[in-house]
């Protein structure tokens, strides 16, 4: 059988109201504004709504939303009498509600009651009777196996019951979470279940956690692409049956329910756009080839710029260029570029007025910026175009979820003229035997609740992969940290978030500069050589307590001379399982806002020295207390 050519197409998209925060009307507006075609009405959202189902129907019609499903109808099948009879009466009342809502599909999830009888034939007979009653009113049912169902928790069991019930108004509901959470898949679906018997599809991802399926499902679901479950594979197996229908998100997540509904709804739609790309339904412009961070830009005024320039001077940076038309300086050490922007009436000055000295933008090197912009537009990420003077280069930028600008610079290797030559009067390069080999990574502090939005942003836009989540102990609370890294390791962006406002990360976000880059690491070919110079300069390094080095000697069996060199330079040390070595030192914080790291990677080390983070954070706390 040959490959069938399929014209690219979008499938209709829907979202369950339970995914979003606010009142039912807020949820409907958020879903419509994000561009969804429909909503699943979650019963609780209707119960708490101060209006009739007919008003909900009217509201949805005005917003252009179909009601794709009403849910859930629980604990129905295979109950002893008199509960069985009562359940059928209960169903009739829900049919009334559905008629008023104007939806024809009800989700019936598998029974979790201890009293439920373990008899598939009984379950089939009950569902047949319920389907018959539904059909008389022009309604339909879809039966879903809950991962924690009393007797039915796998889709194959649910299918056996649906098949045996053999009623045209009864079909299957497939839910990626319930299937994948049990380690199950849809590989055997095609050939077993006819596409027309799959009445509904619910999509959710999740991080891999070891906990009971119920708690995992109720609190930690994520949109596809934000977690670790093979949701694309799941959808591919479903599409192999010839199924074509609505992609509907059903995500229970405590942070989503506390977040602005419009942001979450937009992320939901993006996750489905990304999924359509992953399964080949509707390809996005292809992912860029990344090659690191071209520059980090600071929003400053003249005073803080002079101060930061002095601080950077101690790290071997020099002023390498002046912008041709703006009050902007380029500072450089080797191939590490920092842009110090004090131009009034610019995106940077707006940032400075709101937050003081802080990072306002990062620039990534990509093979084709235009293609990334097209990808951003397809994913509804806002594109920013800065005003420019004649002859200057327009560098396209995308707004990250916290408003930070992400510039896209064409990689020089692809034959482009360096951006700096068009826009800056450059000074002659300085000889520096210990020059930095670019920016190793830039870490961002996020507002609580923003981790998943950022994960999706970097994954969907740039194809970065998320590394394992670390929980790092600050003296005053936990910092959760996850690095987003390009597949070839050329772009590394750790993301940090803390619920506590007293941690370094938390106080940066809540009291100082707001969310954004708070830590920039420079790649040093020889960290100790750099630090020999830095030590004599005006840029103070973060001092590391003696106990750390005692422990280091015990853990890694280092030679005395090596240990003494580390101690002398306030260097932290890590070694991974395959022998990769990381040596890194930190500056004290600049104005309590941003700090710099000098790091040397050797023998294929790919981490970030997470094992040393607690020591670093405690040392930073000591210096904050002192100043
Ligand atoms: Mg479900």
């Amino acid at each position: 059988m040959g490959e069938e050519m399929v014209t690219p197409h979008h499938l209709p998209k829907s979202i369950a109201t339970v995914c979003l925060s606010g009142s039912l009307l807020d949820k409907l507006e958020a879903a419509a504004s994000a561009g969804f075609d429909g909503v699943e009405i979650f019963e609780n959202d209707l119960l708490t709504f101060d209006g009739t189902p007919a008003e909900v129907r009217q509201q949805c019609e005005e917003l252009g939303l179909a009601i794709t499903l009403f849910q859930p109808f629980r604990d129905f099948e295979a109950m002893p009498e008199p509960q069985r009879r009562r359940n059928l009466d209960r169903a009739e009342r829900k049919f009334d509600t559905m008629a008023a809502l104007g939806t024809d599909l009800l989700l019936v999830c598998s029974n979790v009651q201890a009293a439920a009888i373990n008899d598939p034939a009984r379950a089939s007979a009950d569902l047949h009777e319920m389907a018959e009653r539904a059909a008389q009113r022009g309604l339909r049912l879809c039966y879903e196996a809950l991962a924690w169902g009393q007797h039915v928790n796998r889709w194959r069991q649910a299918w056996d019951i649906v098949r045996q019930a053999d009623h045209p108004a009864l079909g299957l509901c497939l839910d990626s979470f319930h299937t994948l959470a049990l380690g199950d898949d849809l590989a055997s679906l095609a050939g077993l279940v006819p596409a027309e018997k799959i009445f509904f599809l619910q999509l959710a991802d999740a991080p891999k956690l070891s906990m009971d399926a119920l708690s995992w499902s109720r609190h930690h679901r994520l949109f596809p692409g934000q977690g670790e479950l093979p949701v694309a594979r799941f959808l591919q197996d479903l599409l192999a049956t010839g199924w074509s229908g609505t992609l509907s998100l059903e995500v229970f997540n405590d942070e989503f329910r506390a977040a602005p509904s419009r942001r979450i709804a937009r992320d939901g739609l993006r996750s489905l756009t990304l999924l359509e790309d992953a399964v080949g339904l509707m390809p996005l412009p292809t992912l860029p080839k990344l090659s690191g961070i071209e520059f980090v830009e600071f929003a400053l005024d003249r005073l803080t710029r002079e101060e930061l320039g002095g601080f950077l001077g101690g790290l071997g940076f020099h002023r390498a260029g002046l912008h041709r038309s703006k009050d902007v300086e380029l500072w450089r050490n080797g191939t590490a570029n920092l842009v110090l922007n004090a131009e009034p009436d610019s995106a940077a000055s707006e940032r400075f007025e709101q937050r003081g000295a802080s990072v306002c933008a990062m620039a990534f090197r990509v093979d084709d910026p235009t293609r990334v912009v097209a990808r951003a537009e397809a994913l509804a990420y806002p594109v920013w175009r800065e005003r420019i003077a004649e002859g200057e280069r327009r560098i396209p930028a995308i707004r990250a979820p916290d408003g930070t600008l992400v510039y896209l610079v064409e990689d020089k290797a692809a034959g482009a003229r360096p951006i700096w030559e068009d826009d800056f009067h450059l000074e002659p390069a300085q000889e520096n035997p210990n020059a930095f080999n670019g920016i190793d990574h830039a870490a961002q502090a996020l507002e609580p609740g923003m981790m998943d939005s950022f994960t999706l942003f970097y994954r969907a836009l740039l194809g970065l992969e998320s590394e394992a989540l670390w929980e790092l102990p600050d003296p005053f609370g936990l910092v959760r940290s996850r690095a987003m890294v390009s597949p070839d390791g050329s772009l590394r962006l750790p993301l940090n978030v803390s619920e506590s406002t007293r941690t370094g990360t938390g106080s940066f976000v809540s009291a100082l500069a707001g969310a954004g880059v708070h830590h920039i690491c420079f790649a040093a070919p020889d960290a100790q050589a750099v630090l020999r110079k830095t030590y004599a300069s005006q840029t103070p390094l973060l001092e590391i307590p003696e106990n750390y080095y005692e422990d280091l000697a015990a853990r890694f069996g280092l030679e005395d001379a090596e240990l003494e060199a580390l101690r002398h330079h306030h260097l932290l040390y890590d070694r991974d399982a395959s022998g990769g070595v990381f040596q890194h030192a930190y500056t004290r914080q600049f104005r309590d806002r941003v700090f710099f790291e000098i790091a040397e990677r050797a023998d294929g080390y790919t981490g970030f020295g997470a094992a040393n983070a607690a020591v670093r954070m405690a040392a930073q706390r000591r210096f904050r207390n002192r100043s």
Side-chain angles (χ1 to χ4, degrees):
M1 204 172 73
E3 284 280 301
E4 219 177 312
M5 285 297 288
V6 180
T7 317
H9 64 289
H10 285 296
L11 291 176
K13 298 179 184 67
S14 154
I15 185 167
T17 54
V18 72
C19 304
L20 303 170
S21 68
S23 71
L24 182 55
L25 293 185
D26 293 335
K27 293 167 190 246
L28 298 178
E29 280 168 13
S33 78
F36 281 97
D37 306 294
V39 287
E40 296 177 31
I41 299 285
F42 198 71
E43 186 171 35
N44 246 28
D45 287 320
L46 186 65
L47 298 181
T48 56
F49 173 63
D50 184 25
T52 64
E55 284 167 26
V56 175
R57 173 187 198 158
Q58 192 192 346
Q59 190 66 34
C60 286
E61 278 170 7
E62 281 169 19
L63 290 167
L65 291 170
I67 298 180
T68 53
L69 180 83
F70 182 58
Q71 70 132 319
F73 195 77
R74 297 187 192 278
D75 300 330
F76 168 74
E77 79 283 15
M79 290 297 271
E81 294 291 3
Q83 194 58 48
R84 180 176 174 280
R85 189 75 10 221
R86 277 195 218 125
N87 279 347
L88 283 163
D89 293 343
R90 182 160 63 93
E92 292 283 359
R93 287 202 299 279
K94 297 304 164 192
F95 295 162
D96 296 339
T97 307
M98 290 169 66
L101 279 173
T103 183
D104 76 332
L105 189 58
L106 177 67
L107 181 140
V108 181
C109 43
S110 63
N111 202 326
V112 303
Q113 294 298 313
I117 302 160
N118 187 11
D119 180 355
R122 274 290 305 275
S124 287
D126 291 349
L127 284 163
H128 183 97
E129 178 158 359
M130 188 177 173
E132 180 56 32
R133 292 181 182 210
Q136 283 165 16
R137 305 178 63 163
L139 307 176
R140 300 178 303 144
L141 316 174
C142 57
Y143 182 53
E144 173 190 59
L146 292 182
W148 53 91
Q150 183 68 238
H151 302 297
V152 176
N153 58 14
R154 301 272 177 161
W155 66 263
R156 280 180 210 77
Q157 293 175 290
W159 167 241
D160 282 341
I161 288 168
V162 166
R163 187 178 44 79
Q164 224 176 73
D166 191 23
H167 196 287
L170 178 66
L172 204 56
C173 171
L174 293 171
D175 179 309
S176 62
F177 180 86
H178 290 299
T179 304
L180 302 172
L182 298 179
D184 199 359
D185 58 44
L186 297 184
S188 59
L189 185 75
L192 190 63
V193 183
E196 64 273 14
K197 290 304 276 183
I198 302 162
F199 281 10
F200 207 72
L201 166 69
Q202 293 179 315
L203 292 166
D205 199 341
K208 283 191 176 147
L209 299 171
S210 51
M211 60 168 62
D212 68 285
L214 177 59
S215 312
W216 190 16
S217 172
R218 291 269 165 89
H219 303 287
H220 301 283
R221 286 190 182 205
L222 294 168
F223 292 135
Q226 291 179 325
E228 298 170 89
L229 300 180
V231 183
R233 179 80 254 168
F234 177 92
L235 180 56
Q236 226 142 25
D237 288 340
L238 172 58
L239 293 171
T241 65
W243 176 91
S244 179
T246 299
L247 305 176
S248 194
L249 294 165
E250 191 202 33
V251 167
F252 308 84
N253 181 299
D254 298 345
E255 288 189 346
F256 289 11
R257 289 200 225 203
S261 54
R262 284 171 183 250
R263 168 163 63 81
I264 299 299
R266 276 198 302 273
D267 279 351
L269 197 81
R270 288 169 178 138
S271 79
L272 292 180
T273 305
L274 188 63
L275 195 61
E276 284 184 317
D277 172 66
V279 300
L281 276 173
M282 191 70 196
L284 288 165
T286 51
L287 286 166
K289 169 139 182 43
L290 298 159
S291 42
I293 301 175
E294 176 67 13
F295 66 84
V296 174
E297 178 172 339
F298 285 82
L300 302 160
D301 62 1
R302 289 191 168 189
L303 186 74
T304 50
R305 181 169 63 195
E306 197 175 319
E307 203 182 320
L308 181 58
F311 199 91
L312 292 169
L315 293 173
F317 279 83
H318 68 284
R319 197 176 67 186
L322 293 175
H323 197 280
R324 291 177 191 277
S325 68
K326 297 176 188 166
D327 191 2
V328 176
E329 297 178 0
L330 165 65
W331 284 65
R332 190 173 256 175
N333 176 338
T335 52
N337 298 312
L338 299 175
V339 171
L340 275 46
N341 190 336
E343 171 73 3
D345 194 23
S346 65
S349 69
E350 192 183 317
R351 181 91 167 194
F352 179 82
E353 290 307 327
Q354 285 170 3
R355 308 184 180 188
S358 54
V359 170
C360 58
M362 280 188 283
F364 303 146
R365 287 188 290 266
V366 299
D367 58 342
D368 181 1
T370 313
R371 205 172 75 238
V372 184
V373 168
R375 194 172 166 94
E377 283 168 343
L379 288 160
Y381 285 115
V383 176
W384 164 260
R385 291 177 176 88
E386 176 88 56
R387 68 184 165 78
I388 51 167
E390 210 181 310
E392 290 173 4
R393 186 85 65 96
R394 159 120 34 221
I395 309 176
I398 316 296
R399 282 238 185 246
D402 68 345
T404 297
L405 288 177
V406 170
Y407 283 103
L408 304 159
V409 175
E410 191 169 352
D411 190 10
K412 273 187 293 183
R417 201 169 124 88
I419 49 164
W420 310 108
E421 289 174 18
D422 287 339
D423 294 5
F424 285 81
H425 296 291
L426 293 177
E427 291 175 17
Q430 289 191 357
E431 201 53 44
N432 179 359
N434 301 314
F436 290 141
N437 189 15
I439 294 171
D440 183 273
H441 62 269
Q444 287 158 271
L446 310 181
E447 280 175 45
M450 289 297 285
M451 184 70 97
D452 299 312
S453 280
F454 265 90
T455 304
L456 185 67
F457 175 70
Y458 284 125
R459 186 178 288 181
L461 186 68
L462 302 176
L464 303 192
E465 291 164 359
S466 47
E467 298 198 336
L469 190 72
W470 288 80
E471 294 193 328
L472 308 173
D474 181 281
F476 289 95
L478 268 192
V479 176
R480 288 188 298 131
S481 182
R482 162 181 289 151
M484 301 296 299
V485 180
S486 62
D488 65 358
S490 65
L491 183 60
R492 303 182 183 98
L493 302 171
L495 305 173
N496 301 317
V497 68
S498 178
E499 302 293 333
S500 163
T501 56
R502 300 182 67 208
T503 59
T505 296
S507 68
F508 175 85
V509 169
S510 62
L512 297 168
V517 173
H518 67 143
H519 158 199
I520 300 165
C521 177
F522 304 116
D526 182 346
Q528 296 193 11
V530 173
L531 293 165
R532 266 194 291 281
K533 296 220 160 190
T534 309
Y535 201 60
S537 79
Q538 292 307 302
T539 303
L541 290 176
L542 191 67
E543 287 171 33
I544 303 302
E546 178 57 30
N547 290 335
Y548 171 79
Y549 294 100
E550 293 298 327
D551 176 61
L552 207 56
R555 273 195 293 150
F556 294 110
L558 299 177
E559 301 284 339
D560 284 351
E562 196 176 359
L563 198 64
E564 186 46 41
L566 294 172
R567 182 189 280 126
H568 180 73
H569 294 301
H570 306 298
L571 271 164
L572 300 162
Y573 179 95
D574 191 27
R575 195 193 296 155
D576 65 23
S578 38
V581 169
F582 194 53
Q583 294 183 57
H584 56 140
Y586 295 89
T587 68
R588 290 194 208 163
Q589 281 173 302
F590 173 75
R591 288 201 159 212
D592 254 355
R593 284 156 191 275
V594 65
F595 57 98
F596 302 96
E597 178 181 4
I598 296 115
E600 177 184 338
R601 295 175 183 274
D603 304 319
Y605 184 93
T606 57
F608 300 89
N612 298 322
V615 175
R616 186 254 300 165
M617 291 190 289
Q620 287 174 323
R621 164 60 61 167
R622 274 195 299 283
F623 287 107
R624 271 211 302 282
N625 288 348
R626 255 180 240 179
S627 58

